[in-house]
Amino acid sequence: MKEASHMVQGRSGSPDSPDPEAGAPVGDVYDWFQRGMRLLAEGSPAAAASLLERAAGAEPESRSIREGLARAQFNSRQYADAVDSFRWIIDANPAEDYAYFGLGLALWRTGDMEAAQEPLAIAVAMRPDQRHYVSALRSVRATLRARQA
């Protein structure tokens, strides 16, 4: 991995800003992915999503990049975009329990409780040991029951 000293600062002064000359972040796709994941871990999901969107455009078949992007979109409240990203992951690999969980949560946040129920149920069926999966499914089902009452 390259040292951070190679990054060029953009107009905002942030080393993760796009290079104003080229319109693209400095470095290669791996650099973008690593910086995006670091930004996500450090609590800057919107900045992470921006970098990871660039990386996903350059490497459209990378599930690692897509998962990071989906998480960054979700954490920056870009729920509809997160839905699309989690669906992409599921289409690429239907055995990804975390993607079903993420899809269910993102649908829940968009207000589509009916649609959220199925991917959460699949996640629970795949990994019944994951308490947060079970808890999310119970919450969605309780909300749906309350709406029907």
Side-chain angles (χ1 to χ4, degrees):
M1 187 167 129
K2 297 177 184 172
E3 293 296 317
S5 62
H6 80 282
M7 294 184 280
V8 176
Q9 291 189 349
R11 290 184 190 138
S12 69
S14 167
D16 291 313
S17 296
D19 178 355
E21 300 287 323
V26 175
D28 61 18
V29 175
Y30 182 76
D31 294 326
W32 303 343
F33 173 70
Q34 290 297 313
R35 287 198 315 263
M37 295 307 291
R38 187 173 60 247
L39 286 165
L40 182 60
E42 292 171 354
S44 298
S50 179
L51 237 111
L52 293 167
E53 283 174 18
R54 177 70 73 152
E59 292 287 336
E61 300 305 312
S62 171
R63 287 198 314 250
S64 298
I65 292 171
R66 292 287 183 147
E67 182 178 316
L69 174 59
R71 289 175 48 216
Q73 290 167 328
F74 183 89
N75 290 346
S76 61
R77 296 183 172 98
Q78 299 173 44
Y79 301 122
D81 291 335
V83 164
D84 292 340
S85 293
F86 282 121
R87 280 192 176 132
W88 184 96
I89 295 165
I90 291 166
D91 289 344
N93 184 5
E96 291 281 345
D97 60 282
Y98 181 79
Y100 284 102
F101 174 67
L103 175 60
L105 290 184
L107 287 164
W108 182 1
R109 295 291 193 261
T110 65
D112 193 345
M113 291 290 190
E114 285 289 332
Q117 186 173 211
E118 182 180 347
L120 288 172
I122 293 169
V124 169
M126 294 171 87
R127 294 289 309 271
D129 59 312
Q130 294 294 317
R131 290 185 198 170
H132 54 286
Y133 291 11
V134 174
S135 176
L137 179 59
R138 283 184 182 148
S139 294
V140 165
R141 287 183 171 164
T143 300
L144 288 170
R145 280 192 303 275
R147 286 181 179 174
Q148 290 174 350

